[in-house]
């Protein structure tokens, strides 16, 4: 008899985006002629940069010839990609990362979820609230969250980020062993300054806290004073793992590639207090359970760092960020309170007239035919807020703002 991991049964059946899809489908059945504008989901919509496509085509051809065919790749990624990452994403910002500290993977969702394999089930978890829901769900599966009571997991320390604190999280009052930080933030689109991030690194150093730093949206940062990597802060290599993704940087949501940095000086502890290298554990975990991202994909990712690739990625990000700017201005013109959208493709609105997130979702869908994401789906502090994304087409973005103005003004 196979006994199941009963922690899975604690997870709610319907995931946020399935609930949304269900509501949208029933709207479509009753309003077949209406054009819906989707501004809810955080998926890329613009095509892959030409430099990436060319590199992938070339790699496919290499795979078709006996002399250049590649089978299993190096466990933790090809050195051509790791070297490009170190040079362009870190050395260029004065951060020294060694090749053995970078692990190429298939995206930040897998790595932020799987990293829990190397950590005990009874670590206490802290996270900013609202946040990308996969962190919690992965910890529910490993039994780290306790029980769900009134929309909150009993063993999770929620660190609220709302307009009351200007979306700047305060240090937790309860002990946490593992802390998730996501900046630029999904869903609020807000960022931390160097000074604010330093506060968290110092807190982690002083309290032996392990920070999981998800920088999936770092490429969207426009303000030169905002750090792109937690390792720009002194001491961070002793306390933080950093997750990066090409999904939103270069339209890789369907291609799948990202990487995780686990510094060699970062340690976890045994129950006896002995220090153990997390780099070694993660390397071991990956060699056992992951057989690498394809050669073709890694060649595509490498092309992002070529001069043409950099320009094309910049153009792509400018496209989405122009959408975000159009949306921010449009929403503010409608008298709505809007956060984010300046260093991230996400806009976080305060629902008008004290509406709950789901009430506003229904009104927006039925009265303006726009689909967004209810803030409460990202955590209890998201109630009363709503997320829109700049990942749509320009025309749709402009039309959506026009519809909103007509509706609200
Ligand atoms: N981290 C955050 C904060 C995200 O918003 C997302 C996707 O929306 C991911 C990670 C997952 O990214 P990937 O496509 O690299 O798995």
């Amino acid at each position: 008899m196979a006994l199941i991991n009963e922690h899975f049964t604690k997870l709610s059946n319907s995931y946020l985006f399935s609930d949304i899809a269900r509501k949208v489908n029933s709207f479509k059945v009753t309003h077949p002629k209406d054009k819906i504008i989707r501004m809810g989901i955080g998926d890329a919509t613009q095509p892959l940069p030409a430099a990436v496509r060319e590199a992938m085509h070339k790699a496919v051809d290499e795979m078709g010839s006996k002399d250049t065919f590649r089978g299993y790749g190096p466990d933790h990624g090809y050195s051509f990609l790791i070297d490009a990452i170190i040079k362009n994403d870190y050395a260029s910002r004065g951060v020294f990362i060694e090749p053995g500290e970078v692990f190429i993977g298939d995206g930040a969702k897998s790595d932020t979820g799987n990293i829990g394999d190397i950590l005990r089930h009874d670590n206490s978890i802290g996270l900013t609230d609202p946040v990308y829901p996969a962190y919690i769900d992965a910890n529910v599966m490993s039994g780290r969250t306790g029980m769900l009571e009134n929309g909150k997991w009993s063993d999770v320390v929620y660190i609220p980020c709302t307009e009351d604190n200007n979306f700047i999280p305060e240090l937790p009052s309860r002990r946490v062993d593992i802390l998730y930080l996501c900046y630029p933030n999904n869903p609020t689109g807000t960022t931390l300054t160097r000074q604010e991030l330093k506060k968290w690194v110092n807190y982690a150093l002083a309290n032996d806290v392990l920070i999981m730093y998800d920088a999936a949206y770092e490429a969207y940062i426009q303000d030169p004073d905002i750090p792109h990597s937690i390792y720009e802060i002194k001491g961070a290599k002793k306390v933080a793992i950093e997750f990066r993704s090409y999904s939103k940087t270069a339209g890789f949501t369907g291609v799948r590639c990202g990487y995780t940095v686990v510094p060699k000086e970062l340690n976890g502890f045994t129950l006896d207090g002995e220090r153990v290298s997390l780099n070694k554990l993660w390397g071991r975990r990956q060699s056992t359970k992951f057989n690498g991202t394809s050669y073709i994909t890694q060649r595509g990712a490498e092309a992002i760092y070529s001069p043409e690739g950099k320009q094309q990625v910049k153009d792509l990000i400018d496209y989405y960020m122009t959408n975000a700017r159009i949306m921010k201005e449009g929403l503010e013109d409608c008298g709505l309170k809007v956060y984010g959208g300046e260093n991230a493709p996400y806009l976080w609105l305060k629902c008008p007239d004290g509406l709950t997130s789901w009430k506003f979702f229904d009104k927006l869908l039925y009265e303006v035919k726009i689909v967004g994401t209810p803030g409460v789906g990202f955590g209890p502090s998201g109630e009363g807020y709503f997320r829109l994304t700049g990942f749509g087409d320009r025309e749709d973005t402009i039309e959506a703002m026009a519809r909103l103005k007509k509706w609200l003004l």
Side-chain angles (χ1 to χ4, degrees), residues 42 107-110 132 135 182 186 214 216-217 245 247-248 256 346:
K109 189 183 231 178
S110 323
Y132 179 55
Y135 310 145
C182 170
N186 176 12
D214 186 347
Y217 297 94
S245 167
S247 285
K248 311 300 163 68
R256 310 304 308 146
Y346 293 117

Side-chain angles (χ1 to χ4, degrees), residues 42 73 91 97 101 122 126 182 193 209 257 267-268 285 307 339 349 351 373 375 377 383:
I97 298 286
E101 296 178 319
D122 46 5
C182 170
T193 63
V209 176
C257 193
N267 291 307
R285 190 266 171 214
Y339 303 91
L349 346 172
C351 299
T373 313
E383 180 57 285

Side-chain angles (χ1 to χ4, degrees), residues 284-336:
R284 189 72 177 82
R285 190 266 171 214
Q286 289 297 80
S287 311
T288 304
K289 292 195 180 179
F290 182 62
N291 246 346
T293 311
S294 78
Y295 173 69
I296 300 162
T297 299
Q298 293 190 54
R299 279 293 185 200
E302 180 198 21
I304 292 168
Y305 299 105
S306 67
E308 313 77 60
K310 279 184 188 168
Q311 184 55 48
Q312 290 159 13
V313 162
K314 186 181 172 300
D315 294 345
L316 197 60
I317 286 173
D318 284 351
Y319 181 89
Y320 294 133
M321 288 308 288
T322 302
N323 283 351
R325 185 179 47 73
I326 291 169
M327 290 164 70
K328 196 168 172 96
E329 285 169 10
L331 295 161
E332 281 172 351
D333 287 350
C334 293
L336 292 166

